[in-house]
């Protein structure tokens, strides 16, 4: 698995989503502090997940986006969320409970770089040390079953 940084030097601003299914879910522009992983579910295509830490309402939020590289099968698109749910997020030695299903999905890297990341606000209180901390994003061997 390779770790990825999203190259974008964009000021971060929180915007509320206007889509009906995700009304009220905070969104931010991705920035160069985002970290991530990539993985393949099948022999075709790759899923890339990148995320960054933000403070929203005094809580730690993990804001992320997902995109697909190469030719991705329909099966991969259908089961991607089950694999993405297995990614672990931590800051300052503390594991975060993140709902990655809230992350914004894009069909390719180009659209993702021009898009926004959706945030999962955790129950973890924001600590000022997190502002300079690096989000740890990891995914070990995964087995997904129904």
């Amino acid at each position: 698995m390779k770790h990825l940084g999203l190259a974008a030097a964009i000021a971060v601003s929180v915007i509320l989503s206007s889509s009906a299914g995700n009304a009220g879910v905070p969104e931010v522009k991705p920035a160069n502090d985002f970290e991530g992983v990539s993985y393949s579910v099948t022999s075709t295509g790759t899923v890339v997940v990148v995320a960054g830490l933000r403070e929203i309402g005094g809580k730690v939020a993990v804001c992320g986006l997902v995109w697909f590289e190469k030719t991705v099968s329909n099966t991969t698109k259908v089961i991607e969320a089950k694999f993405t749910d297995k990614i672990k997020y931590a800051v300052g030695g503390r594991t975060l409970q993140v709902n990655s299903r809230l992350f914004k999905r894009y069909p390719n890297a180009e659209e993702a770089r021009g898009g926004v990341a959706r945030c999962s606000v955790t129950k973890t209180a924001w600590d000022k040390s997190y502002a300079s901390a690096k989000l740890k994003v990891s995914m070990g061997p995964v087995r997904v079953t129904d």
Side-chain angles (χ1 to χ4, degrees):
M1 235 175 306
K2 58 185 175 181
H3 290 272
L4 304 172
L6 186 60
I10 302 171
V12 177
S13 62
V14 177
I15 311 164
L16 293 180
S17 170
S18 61
S19 64
N22 292 301
V25 176
E27 294 181 343
V28 301
K29 290 298 269 177
N32 59 0
D33 66 322
F34 276 41
E35 296 292 327
V37 296
S38 63
Y39 63 89
S40 296
V41 176
T42 63
S43 61
T44 62
T46 301
V47 177
V48 179
V49 181
V50 295
L53 287 175
R54 298 294 180 265
E55 184 271 327
I56 297 177
K59 301 290 184 183
V60 174
V62 177
C63 304
L65 49 99
V66 178
W67 74 80
F68 303 96
E69 291 184 341
K70 304 178 189 167
T71 304
V72 177
S73 69
N74 284 335
T75 300
T76 299
K77 288 181 181 178
V78 169
I79 64 174
E80 165 272 316
K82 290 182 181 184
F83 282 84
T84 300
D85 281 348
K86 303 297 182 180
I87 295 173
K88 294 181 171 110
Y89 302 89
V91 61
R94 183 176 188 137
T95 301
L96 302 170
Q97 297 299 314
V98 175
N99 180 357
S100 61
R101 294 192 184 225
L102 293 175
F103 292 176
K104 183 90 174 189
R105 268 83 179 155
Y106 293 93
N108 55 55
E110 183 178 310
E111 288 188 40
R113 285 187 182 98
V116 295
R118 266 199 205 116
C119 304
S120 170
V121 180
T122 70
K123 293 180 181 180
T124 303
W126 181 260
D127 183 282
K128 65 182 177 182
S129 67
Y130 296 159
S132 60
K134 187 174 184 176
L135 177 66
K136 294 187 189 279
V137 181
S138 63
M139 182 178 197
V142 174
R143 179 182 168 133
V144 175
T145 60
D146 280 333

